[in-house]
Amino acid sequence: MIRRCFIGLGSNLDEPLKQVSDALRELAQLPQTKLLRHSQLFRSDPVGPAGQPDYINAVAEIETELTPIQLLDQLQAIEQAHQRRRIVHWGPRTLDLDILLVDSETIATERLKVPHPYMHEREFVLYPLAQIAPDLKLPDGRRLEQLLEQCPMGTLEPVAL
Ligand code: ROI
């Protein structure tokens, strides 16, 4: 079975632009997986605790034969390889890879919640997502367009590379 998934990428430590660009390449190399497209890279102020560096974020769309848990394992292996440091909750991190959506599935397990529970309120997820999938609908029927109306862009800006 092939599933279409959206992955959120974020970094604010150790050359975030490189962390996210490298991670996109690594997504493309995952087994039984095809990277379909990805957004531009965006810069934004940290959401959550202040006093941490700016973030670089992007969203990727993949097609995979991995199950959601196999995909999560693979993403966590990539995070580990980037020597992810996560000292405080909602604090700075080298690389964060979040499964945002898996087709129109809802998953509510201890390890994995899909749709990502905060995606609908995070500009650094919604705007990059809108670049690659403007007509997207969430499993609950809400359209991405509606979510964007309730989520100002704030300090989010595309990075010119
Ligand atoms: N803030 C921004 N701008 N981007 C992120 O990826 C991000 N990730 C997080 C928290 C700490 C919530 N803040 C963020 O996990």
Side-chain angles (χ1 to χ4, degrees):
M1 175 177 175
I2 295 185
R3 295 177 172 90
R4 197 168 69 116
C5 307
F6 290 91
I7 312 292
L9 301 90
S11 168
N12 75 339
L13 287 179
D14 304 340
E15 300 185 70
L17 282 171
K18 179 170 160 37
Q19 296 290 344
V20 173
S21 316
D22 287 354
L24 285 170
R25 262 193 299 280
E26 288 153 13
L27 283 182
Q29 287 162 10
L30 286 181
Q32 298 166 265
T33 300
K34 203 160 93 185
L35 175 64
L36 298 178
R37 54 187 70 79
H38 64 80
S39 69
Q40 271 181 289
L41 274 48
F42 287 79
R43 193 210 61 81
S44 67
D45 290 346
V47 170
Q52 49 174 320
D54 289 353
Y55 276 83
I56 296 296
N57 288 106
V59 171
E61 180 179 7
I62 63 170
E63 227 172 45
T64 186
E65 290 181 57
L66 299 172
T67 65
I69 286 297
Q70 288 172 332
L71 177 61
L72 181 62
D73 287 338
Q74 293 282 344
L75 296 183
Q76 289 183 344
I78 296 177
E79 289 178 343
Q80 293 299 328
H82 284 244
Q83 294 175 323
R84 178 179 191 200
R85 293 185 276 142
R86 186 176 177 178
I87 302 107
V88 279
H89 188 59
W90 282 25
R93 67 273 321 278
T94 311
L95 181 66
D96 202 11
L97 298 175
D98 290 330
I99 301 177
L100 303 171
L101 294 166
V102 175
D103 286 328
S104 49
E105 291 179 39
T106 301
I107 303 168
T109 61
E110 191 63 40
R111 256 195 96 193
L112 181 61
K113 295 183 178 51
V114 176
H116 188 283
Y118 297 113
M119 64 171 288
H120 59 282
E121 59 192 44
R122 290 183 166 172
E123 71 279 12
F124 60 82
V125 172
L126 296 180
Y127 287 87
L129 188 56
Q131 267 194 346
I132 57 173
D135 300 325
L136 197 72
K137 254 193 193 171
L138 267 59
D140 67 6
R142 282 187 290 178
R143 286 178 302 112
L144 179 57
E145 224 172 34
Q146 286 169 263
L147 298 176
L148 287 167
E149 280 167 18
Q150 287 152 32
C151 186
M153 205 162 165
T155 61
L156 188 74
E157 59 183 9
V159 178
L161 287 181

